[in-house]
Amino acid sequence: MGIKRGLKYDFSLLAILLIPIGIAINFVGAQIILLLKLPIYLNTIGTILTAMIGGPWVGMVTGASTNLVVGITNPVSFAFTPVQMAVGLVVGLLAMKGMYTKLWKVILASMAVVLTVLIVASPIQVLMFGGATGNSSDAVVATFLASGQQIWTAVFSTKILVESVDKIISNVIAFVIVMKMSPRYLSKLNYGAIFIKKK
Amino acid sequence: MNNERSMLSRLYPTTKFMITIALCLAAFIVPGYGFSYAVLPICMVLAYFAGSFKEFSNLAIKALLMIVVFIFILQSFFYPGHDILWSWGIFSIKREGVEFALFLTSKIVAVASAFILFFRITKVKDLVHSLEQIGLPSKVTYVILSTLQLIPEMKKLTLVIMDAQKTRGVETEGKLLVRMKAFLPTLSPLILGSVASTEERVLTLESRAFSANVKKSSIYTLEKTKYDRLVQILLIVLLAILIVWRVAL
């Protein structure tokens, strides 16, 4: 599989139409979490899903647009746009390398995603917001700080704790759903061929 | 008043965006945190004239209150400093921390409220139209518009699916594990259904010559008025005065 095939190839009309769906899934995933009162976010399932079947660039655009749309009502999320973009890019690249074909590979890939989030999100959180995000995870940061850690290590530790649970679950859910998609649909997408089960 | 109210909303989207940018820049040009905090009331007044005071205040409080409170807690207790204002056991509030928190939150409040104001007084339809006029490809504007239509639609669909799954015996209330198990049966029909619908959408769009490489006309028009000019010049002059004042200081 060649990596460089041009943006025109990646952004076919079918892939472009996936972007709004991906954004909406990010939203709705978070809403279902609220309805079921679960203690996680799961607001990246759509980004992961589109990155898997639409390629890294489509995933990146989905991630960026999600935060821009959230930003309409909560501008704090503008600042965290690079995080979702990085998730889309990394998942897309890993999926191209065939890391999303088996469950154990997906869990390995999620660790790479967690690492990416850690590297991209922590500087934004510390430098722009002094370690806070306005989410419930801030309480964890405060706990780490109270136990005598520095701000960077406190944010890092919190991120590892919260993100690894969140990203593993999101990745596995996206994987399960893609595996349920029909081969007829997957074959129309540029990056769908990997996920068609061989019989 | 009625006349004025419609005037602000009737401005061209790019002019409104200039107001937002000018407010953000001003918050960073003027030293100290007094003015940056004042951007919030300024935006409230502007929102009042545009007739969306209530929406604006609700959103601003929802978006900003939590993060401001958390920044204050984190910074005032844990920022390295010596000038202790108040202490309780091992915890102590330091003056340096409070000052840093004031600085940080004031900028965040200023930028965030300016953006909330922009999206409250600008209709998405107008914004997308002006973006298209600037020369953004219609594929991009389509993604923006259809996303905003899709989100409420899919939220409604979620509730329908949840009800359907409940009647089939999927528990959505109870212990944590039970609620966790309900997540996938709710989400996967939603995603698979909406992903499958993209195929139909491609056919619909292509039958209307969506990817055809020609100039398309629009039934929706948006006019720039003389007020746009006036507001734009006013903003630039004000910013210039601010910068000169800041440099001369």
Side-chain angles (χ1 to χ4, degrees), chain A residues 13-14 16-17 20-21 23-24 28 31-32 36-37 42 74-75 128-130 138 145 173 177 184-185 188, chain B residues 63 70-71 75 104 108 112 116 139 142 146-147 154-155 158 179 183 190-191 194-195 198-199 202 206:
Chain A
L13 193 55
L14 197 58
I16 287 175
L17 292 182
I21 304 269
I23 301 168
V28 173
Q31 191 211 10
I32 298 175
L36 296 174
K37 303 188 196 74
L42 299 194
N74 186 352
M128 285 184 74
F129 299 102
D138 289 356
L145 281 172
I173 288 175
I177 291 173
R184 191 181 66 84
Y185 178 74
K188 286 186 185 172
Chain B
F70 270 116
I71 288 176
Q75 296 304 329
L104 206 60
I108 292 170
I116 294 176
K139 283 182 177 175
Y142 176 79
S146 76
T147 303
M154 276 176 77
K155 279 188 178 170
T158 317
R179 284 179 277 140
F183 186 73
L190 181 77
I191 295 179
S194 45
V195 165
T198 54
E199 280 182 289
V202 169
E206 287 299 12

Side-chain angles (χ1 to χ4, degrees), chain A residues 7-28:
Chain A
L7 290 180
K8 260 246 158 71
Y9 174 81
D10 271 26
F11 285 88
S12 65
L13 193 55
L14 197 58
I16 287 175
L17 292 182
L18 261 180
I19 296 172
I21 304 269
I23 301 168
I25 294 170
N26 282 341
F27 262 83
V28 173

Side-chain angles (χ1 to χ4, degrees), chain A residues 82-138:
Chain A
V83 183
Q84 284 256 12
M85 285 171 79
V87 170
L89 186 70
V90 169
V91 170
L93 291 174
L94 287 171
M96 271 164 76
K97 297 277 171 221
M99 285 299 282
Y100 278 82
T101 47
K102 290 207 173 66
L103 190 61
W104 66 270
K105 281 186 180 173
V106 174
I107 288 167
L108 271 185
S110 340
M111 299 321 280
V113 176
V114 172
L115 196 68
T116 316
V117 172
L118 206 63
I119 293 167
V120 182
S122 305
I124 300 175
Q125 197 173 333
V126 174
L127 298 177
M128 285 184 74
F129 299 102
T133 55
N135 281 326
S136 48
S137 67
D138 289 356

